[in-house]
Amino acid sequence: MLTTIEKIVFVALALVSAGFTVHGFKLIIDSIRKGRPAPELKNVPASLLNAGVKVLFQQTIFKARKALSAIHMGLFFGLITYAFVNLFDVLEGLVPGFDLVYGGAHIPNAPTGLINAFNLIADVMSMFLLVAITVFLIRRFIVKDKALDYRENILLNPKVKAGGQQIDSLIVGAFVIMHVIAHLMSQSYRLTNGAYPFMPIASFLNSIFGTSETGVHVAWWISIGWVMFIIPYLSRSKHTHFFMAPVTLGLAKQNPRGQLDPAIPLKVIEGQKFDPGAKFIHDLSWKRALDAYACVQCNRCQDVCPMNFAEGAPLSPSALEVNKRYLLKEATFGSHPDRLLLPLTETVISAEAVWSCTTCHACVSICPVGNEPMADIVDIRRRMIVDGAELDSGVQNALQSLATNGNWMSKGKRLRGRWAKEMEFPVKNATEEPVEHLWFVGDTASFDERVIPNTKMVARIFQQGGLDFGIMYQNESNAGNDVRRVGEEGLFEQLVEQNMQAFGKAQFKQIVTTDPHSFNTLKNEYPQFGGKFEVKHYTMTLLKLFEEGKLTVKNKLSNYKVTFHDPCYLGRYNGGFTAPRKLLEMLGVEFVEMPRNCENSFCCGAGGGQIWMGKVAPGERPAENRIKEALTTFGESTNEKTQLFIVTCPKDMVMYSDAVKTTGNEGKIEVRDIIQLVAEAVGVEEPVVAEAVAA
């Protein structure tokens, strides 16, 4: 079809396009490689293959925004189809007589059936592409979906504030529309014999515009010319994720969700000395630099961030990744390499936002390409601690108490087991006599007067179920989960050492915990320090006691209408969704599920050291938002059942009990630990007289 001169021009332009594309991706790869070593990955080819399957079937995008995800799937398959369309268009231009219209009638021995099928798919997918891209452009530029925006108090790169993302979206949107229309017109102008049933859209256009050899040439050049422009442009725009998303998914974190990467890389390159954490962009691991290029900039992570709900908190995980991308792009493709020498707290996320994160993992779990903005925040905290950054007074006091007393509540070590000495039966000291189950109680359950009654009831239920258990009394220290996520790596290792020494004194078969935060770090992070234990959350232990017949339900609790909150560190981090729900089913309550549940559960706002904060952001707190969600879930009560908000975490007991009061919902909903329902169902009561005497 093309003349000789046109072919020469095409080859020259194609080489230029390929050169710019290769150059662009080489710069990106060089930039990524400047990052620190990341934890080693195993079986990378299989992981990449698995990621390719996930991307091909768009499995990761349907975690949220179902309707938009379906439209995105149509867009994705349309673009995949057009990869083949463009290949055949080029062949039609370069190879004399190569023409697929009318089933390839001009090609000797052409597989007519296959060609007709391809032409029909390409024609229909062209319309899907046009509809899908139009929907997304309307959403961004006409409807102006607020989910794509950032609040004024969130740190943004100046180019993002100036509309850099919108410009990228407009360019690519215009490309898709013009490219598809030009292809359809090129095909329609080829239809010399009128309508062709396997190209219904092209046939319709042909009925309007007719046949034109000149039209074929012009439309072909517009269509393919756009491709030669857009491919190198993609390496310089936010749409790099087309190529990087499958890679970052394939190279995603393989160690447990609840195990943070080390503060200092385990692998040292050419004798390099690394400081803990991250101050500058390339202090982050190469994988986290890759995250920035893979980011779709869809803001799904922002949608689920609990601190983004608190209007005064300047945190957006999406803004963090977007700012990283622009920072790297300015240094790689622009004239601002000096910006790489600016602290991350000035370029990608404000210091205030760094300390807002609850480390709930929601942003990581929802990300369709497997990015880890939360891990970046922890690394930034680590360096800020090392550099002596000013800390919130509450956090500072908590860390000092943890270093001195082994707990964050400024209580003497000997007071940790006081509640056990007030019990009506002896609670074994696991460091002095063998036990089957070592109960790691945790700080809040040991010291907080609002939670201690529940702690005592756990002990009574364990006793009732014949569980051979004991605690470590003053030998137990805080497990360190939140200490590590605040960034105090040295203190975390100190607490680990103290607990490992205590475990060494004890004889036990498995650990049971009351606190999901302790459960997470004991299960996932202590093995790095030699602490390879079987660790269970107390809901799992309770369920086993019921299933073995050691506990039986004597009183069905049909007078309660309950909903359940999944703690982040039990549920999202460790998949502990089943045991609490099975227990509630056994107890006979009327159970209703909140919209945000299991993997998509909301956060109480206490994690990542937030419970220690002396100063909190103004606006609605996450726990208050969650209580309102529970009440909405219950709806208008039409019976006399008591409405309960069930928790399985001591911190949740504190956060949500306070939230009921601050939202003015006392008398409408009551926060209870699941152990309170278990006790009522099995007939174990609190011995009022005995405790009054002890007091």
Side-chain angles (χ1 to χ4, degrees):
M1 179 197 82
L2 296 182
T3 64
T4 301
I5 293 176
E6 284 180 308
K7 290 178 181 179
I8 293 171
V9 171
F10 168 76
V11 171
L13 290 176
L15 289 173
V16 170
S17 175
F20 274 107
T21 302
V22 171
H23 176 259
F25 281 100
K26 181 183 183 301
L27 290 178
I28 288 174
I29 293 168
D30 289 345
S31 175
I32 291 169
R33 292 179 64 187
K34 290 178 183 176
R36 291 186 174 194
E40 289 196 25
L41 300 172
K42 300 177 181 177
N43 203 2
V44 171
S47 296
L48 288 170
L49 180 61
N50 183 50
V53 172
K54 287 181 178 179
V55 171
L56 180 61
F57 294 101
Q58 299 284 276
Q59 293 175 359
T60 61
I61 70 169
F62 281 92
K63 299 174 184 177
R65 303 177 185 173
K66 306 293 185 186
L68 285 172
S69 295
I71 296 171
H72 186 277
M73 176 179 267
L75 179 65
F76 175 78
F77 280 114
L79 292 173
I80 292 292
T81 301
Y82 257 70
F84 294 97
V85 166
N86 292 330
L87 172 63
F88 288 125
D89 279 356
V90 169
L91 291 175
E92 285 180 333
L94 297 179
V95 180
F98 189 90
D99 191 338
L100 298 186
V101 297
Y102 302 116
H106 303 300
I107 303 174
N109 303 315
T112 303
L114 287 176
I115 293 174
N116 285 337
F118 171 77
N119 284 337
L120 180 61
I121 292 170
D123 204 66
V124 172
M125 288 307 296
S126 297
M127 183 56 65
F128 279 1
L129 263 176
L130 291 174
V131 170
I133 200 66
T134 301
V135 168
F136 286 122
L137 289 174
I138 289 173
R139 177 186 178 228
R140 182 176 286 276
F141 294 103
I142 298 177
V143 175
K144 296 183 178 179
D145 190 340
K146 291 183 179 179
L148 299 174
D149 290 336
Y150 304 100
R151 289 202 306 270
E152 286 297 322
N153 62 346
I154 291 171
L155 176 66
L156 284 177
N157 183 284
K159 290 186 178 178
V160 178
K161 275 192 171 182
Q165 291 175 283
Q166 284 82 350
I167 293 171
D168 273 349
S169 295
L170 187 60
I171 290 173
V172 172
F175 155 71
V176 172
I177 291 172
M178 292 183 66
H179 175 54
V180 171
I181 290 176
H183 166 75
L184 287 172
M185 290 302 301
S186 175
Q187 296 302 86
S188 73
Y189 284 134
R190 293 172 186 272
L191 297 178
T192 54
N193 297 331
Y196 171 40
F198 294 99
M199 286 184 175
I201 298 170
S203 295
F204 172 74
L205 293 173
N206 176 262
S207 69
I208 298 174
F209 298 102
T211 301
S212 169
E213 183 66 26
T214 302
V216 171
H217 281 252
V218 172
W220 187 94
W221 272 109
I222 292 173
S223 175
I224 299 303
W226 258 112
V227 173
M228 289 189 287
F229 164 77
I230 208 69
I231 290 179
Y233 175 77
L234 291 178
S235 68
R236 292 155 172 82
S237 78
K238 78 186 189 77
H239 295 86
T240 312
H241 74 263
F242 289 166
F243 307 98
M244 293 304 188
V247 177
T248 198
L249 271 175
L251 302 179
K253 175 176 179 172
Q254 294 179 345
N255 50 327
R257 282 185 177 184
Q259 184 185 104
L260 285 176
D261 290 349
I264 299 174
L266 298 175
K267 183 179 179 182
V268 177
I269 300 176
E270 296 177 357
Q272 280 183 276
K273 183 179 181 297
F274 294 107
D275 292 321
K279 184 173 184 178
F280 307 106
I281 187 71
H282 285 125
D283 286 336
L284 297 171
S285 75
W286 64 265
K287 172 60 176 64
R288 309 259 192 77
L290 175 61
D291 285 355
Y293 291 108
C295 179
V296 183
Q297 301 181 17
C298 61
N299 285 15
R300 293 178 185 223
C301 54
Q302 179 175 278
D303 286 351
V304 299
C305 176
M307 296 311 290
N308 199 262
F309 278 79
E311 293 184 3
L315 176 61
S316 165
S318 171
L320 168 63
E321 294 294 352
V322 171
N323 288 337
K324 281 166 57 182
R325 164 78 70 82
Y326 273 81
L327 178 62
L328 289 167
K329 191 168 88 168
E330 287 167 359
T332 303
F333 295 102
S335 56
H336 301 286
D338 53 306
R339 288 183 61 79
L340 296 179
L341 302 178
L342 293 175
L344 292 168
T345 49
E346 296 178 18
T347 52
V348 304
I349 183 171
S350 68
E352 187 180 355
V354 167
W355 295 111
S356 297
C357 179
T358 67
T359 66
C360 68
H361 204 271
C363 60
V364 183
S365 298
I366 199 70
C367 181
V369 298
N371 287 352
E372 296 183 273
M374 185 206 78
D376 288 354
I377 290 172
V378 172
D379 266 339
I380 295 170
R381 286 178 174 181
R382 284 165 163 168
R383 180 62 67 84
M384 292 177 77
I385 292 279
V386 170
D387 289 347
E390 184 178 352
L391 299 180
D392 174 272
S393 59
V395 174
Q396 185 66 54
N397 291 337
L399 294 176
Q400 287 174 351
S401 177
L402 283 156
T404 305
N405 305 307
N407 66 79
W408 62 270
M409 307 184 80
S410 299
K411 303 287 187 180
K413 292 183 179 181
R414 293 187 177 277
L415 297 177
R416 184 177 283 275
R418 184 176 65 177
W419 67 266
K421 295 176 181 177
E422 297 170 353
M423 297 297 294
E424 60 277 9
F425 56 86
V427 176
K428 291 181 180 180
N429 187 331
T431 62
E432 296 177 356
E433 56 182 313
V435 294
E436 187 171 343
H437 295 82
L438 171 60
W439 179 9
F440 196 97
V441 186
D443 290 2
T444 307
S446 296
F447 296 111
D448 195 306
E449 295 298 332
R450 296 166 291 183
V451 180
I452 284 176
N454 294 335
T455 305
K456 291 181 177 180
M457 193 54 72
V458 172
R460 292 188 183 102
I461 297 298
F462 282 174
Q463 179 79 358
Q464 174 87 359
L467 196 75
D468 179 24
F469 74 96
I471 65 175
M472 296 194 297
Y473 288 88
Q474 70 269 21
N475 290 298
E476 179 184 307
S477 295
N478 185 288
N481 185 81
D482 296 309
V483 174
R484 193 176 205 195
R485 280 144 187 84
V486 162
E488 239 298 6
E489 193 74 12
L491 179 55
F492 168 70
E493 293 181 5
Q494 175 185 320
L495 293 169
V496 171
E497 184 178 353
Q498 291 172 4
N499 281 316
M500 288 297 292
Q501 289 176 356
F503 292 147
K505 297 177 184 177
Q507 296 182 48
F508 58 92
K509 292 184 179 178
Q510 70 174 229
I511 296 175
V512 58
T513 72
T514 318
D515 173 27
H517 297 244
S518 301
F519 169 70
N520 177 74
T521 199
L522 290 170
K523 176 176 180 282
N524 296 312
E525 295 182 324
Y526 273 54
Q528 295 175 306
F529 300 87
K532 298 181 180 179
F533 314 112
E534 182 181 359
V535 186
K536 302 290 184 184
H537 186 253
Y538 76 117
T539 53
M540 304 170 190
T541 303
L542 291 172
L543 180 62
K544 186 177 180 183
L545 291 175
F546 275 108
E547 290 176 340
E548 292 177 347
K550 295 177 181 178
L551 288 175
T552 57
V553 175
K554 297 177 181 177
N555 310 305
K556 285 284 185 179
L557 307 182
S558 57
N559 58 317
Y560 293 135
K561 185 175 184 179
V562 312
T563 193
F564 172 68
H565 168 73
D566 291 280
C568 301
Y569 278 93
L570 175 63
R572 189 180 298 110
Y573 271 101
N574 291 289
F577 306 122
T578 303
R581 288 172 172 78
K582 280 193 173 182
L583 284 172
L584 291 172
E585 182 182 353
M586 288 178 176
L587 302 181
V589 300
E590 180 186 349
F591 176 64
V592 290
E593 195 80 82
M594 284 184 280
R596 293 178 292 187
N597 62 78
C598 295
E599 182 76 13
N600 298 317
S601 178
F602 202 51
C603 173
C604 76
Q610 294 303 305
I611 199 170
W612 304 334
M613 288 286 177
K615 180 183 177 182
V616 296
E620 185 178 67
R621 291 180 293 169
E624 294 170 336
N625 182 279
R626 188 66 157 159
I627 289 296
K628 291 177 182 178
E629 179 183 3
L631 286 167
T632 302
T633 301
F634 285 138
E636 293 295 327
S637 181
T638 57
N639 53 43
E640 297 180 356
K641 291 186 177 182
T642 303
Q643 296 183 156
L644 302 179
F645 187 97
I646 303 302
V647 299
T648 53
C649 171
K651 291 185 179 72
D652 285 343
M653 190 73 192
V654 173
M655 299 297 287
Y656 288 117
S657 295
D658 286 347
V660 169
K661 296 175 185 177
T662 56
T663 56
N665 286 303
E666 292 175 284
K668 297 179 184 178
I669 189 170
E670 182 181 340
V671 179
R672 292 193 192 176
D673 192 291
I674 200 168
I675 199 65
Q676 294 172 272
L677 297 192
V678 171
E680 186 176 344
V682 302
V684 173
E685 297 181 358
E686 186 176 347
V688 178
V689 176
E691 294 208 351
V693 172

